[in-house]
Amino acid sequence: MKESFAGDLGFEFVTFKNETLEIYHRRKFATRFTGTKAVKLQSQLETVSFAKQQQLMARLTGNYKRGSERVAKTHGRNCR
């Protein structure tokens, strides 16, 4: 069983020799970066803390909460 860390959002990244970086969310493929962008992101991910890595990967994949989920759930058009 995987340990749970503070700030863990379920993201992992894997780097490959051919300048490819893949991001997984809860062990499912989320996105892939190649070339210079992958190298740049890898260096960013390696220099920050675990919680910051999680936040960065969430933003890169577009899978992060925006703070309006509770409001949207009770909005009129969603309560039919």
Side-chain angles (χ1 to χ4, degrees):
M1 186 169 145
K2 185 179 174 185
E3 289 183 44
S4 179
F5 295 104
D8 189 4
L9 301 175
F11 289 97
E12 299 174 359
F13 69 96
V14 178
T15 57
F16 299 96
K17 290 181 182 178
N18 61 352
E19 295 183 344
T20 302
L21 181 131
E22 292 183 350
I23 297 177
Y24 294 86
H25 183 246
R26 306 208 191 282
R27 301 192 186 233
K28 291 184 181 177
F29 176 77
T31 190
R32 176 181 297 128
F33 296 98
T34 58
T36 56
K37 178 131 181 153
V39 173
K40 180 182 171 188
L41 290 174
Q42 180 182 0
S43 67
Q44 286 179 346
L45 287 168
E46 290 175 347
T47 59
V48 296
S49 68
F50 178 77
K52 298 263 187 205
Q53 284 180 349
Q54 294 292 303
Q55 288 293 320
L56 178 60
M57 289 186 281
R59 285 183 173 80
L60 290 171
T61 60
N63 188 2
Y64 61 97
K65 295 185 178 187
R66 294 160 184 85
S68 62
E69 288 82 10
R70 187 176 303 157
V71 175
K73 185 169 39 171
T74 60
H75 190 276
R77 72 171 169 246
N78 298 329
C79 295
R80 294 180 189 184

